[in-house]
Amino acid sequence: MMHKALAGLNSDTLERYAPEALQAQLVTAVLLALGSNYHAEKYLAIVRERLSTLGEIQQSTAFQNPDFTATPELPKPDYTNQCVYLSLKLPMTLQRLQQTFKQFECECHRQRLTEQSMSIKQVTMDIDILLISLYITTNSLSKNSDSKWIVMNDRYPFKAHEKVGMEELIQRSM
């Protein structure tokens, strides 16, 4: 059953913040964009399994897309992209979450080489945070809490495949 937290969500109307401004904020859920252009089926499965250790996940359909930086002179392998909604078991800071995702990329043998060192990068796994749901305490005495969805400004505007994946997850939550 899809978590109802995404129901009716419209990313175009959400506030946008730079990730640097939110590092210490507690996060309860994220909407992620996963991408791989090298053994994608293998590495997507690995990272989805790792994400499920953090909480409940829902995934969109995986789509194969051309690398938008490819040219006729420099063709590049296609990417397989997928969006994932992750509802965390326990809130964690955005900084810790980003570190965790970098570790997951490393576990998939992600190599972060400069563009000049390889003309065609093999990307085993790329995990990008599109949206976060911030943990907001509404009453410190009763321990009531709420959440607020925020767009990561460094990821906006969203790429076409990210929009499609997000819309699929939002529609499933209704």
Side-chain angles (χ1 to χ4, degrees):
M1 175 88 172
M2 180 63 172
H3 195 278
K4 298 296 180 195
L6 292 176
L9 188 68
N10 180 351
S11 63
D12 293 331
T13 62
L14 297 177
E15 293 179 38
R16 297 180 192 106
Y17 287 94
E20 300 79 33
L22 301 169
Q23 292 296 297
Q25 297 293 315
L26 286 176
V27 175
T28 60
V30 290
L31 197 84
L32 305 170
L34 308 181
S36 174
N37 71 359
Y38 183 75
H39 297 298
E41 192 172 304
K42 171 186 174 180
Y43 291 113
L44 284 169
I46 289 170
V47 85
R48 286 190 307 258
E49 178 63 32
R50 295 295 288 136
L51 290 168
S52 69
T53 65
L54 300 176
E56 177 188 347
I57 67 167
Q58 297 291 327
Q59 61 201 33
S60 72
T61 304
F63 294 101
Q64 188 168 341
N65 301 293
D67 184 329
F68 69 91
T69 65
T71 64
E73 300 78 33
L74 186 61
K76 296 181 181 180
D78 290 346
Y79 273 83
T80 300
N81 300 103
Q82 184 174 45
C83 284
V84 173
Y85 167 75
L86 168 62
S87 177
L88 296 167
K89 292 176 190 174
L90 297 170
M92 68 173 69
T93 65
L94 178 59
Q95 181 179 32
R96 181 164 174 235
L97 201 53
Q98 289 172 319
Q99 291 168 345
T100 300
F101 294 158
K102 293 284 184 245
Q103 180 59 40
F104 290 174
E105 289 175 345
C106 287
E107 290 171 10
C108 291
H109 312 291
R110 169 77 188 260
Q111 300 293 315
R112 293 193 179 274
L113 302 173
T114 62
E115 294 292 332
Q116 293 78 23
S117 63
M118 280 183 70
S119 59
I120 299 176
K121 290 195 314 184
Q122 291 181 337
V123 179
T124 57
M125 181 50 54
D126 184 38
I127 304 172
D128 292 317
I129 301 173
L130 303 178
L131 304 173
I132 63 171
S133 180
L134 291 180
Y135 178 83
I136 299 170
T137 303
T138 55
N139 183 334
S140 61
L141 296 176
S142 66
K143 298 184 182 173
N144 289 340
S145 65
D146 200 359
S147 63
K148 175 182 179 180
W149 283 100
I150 302 286
V151 174
M152 294 290 89
N153 205 33
D154 63 336
R155 298 297 309 163
Y156 195 84
F158 299 121
K159 295 175 184 160
H161 63 270
E162 294 168 341
K163 289 181 186 177
V164 169
M166 285 191 322
E167 284 303 315
E168 180 183 337
L169 291 171
I170 289 167
Q171 288 302 314
R172 273 200 232 151
S173 71
M174 296 178 149

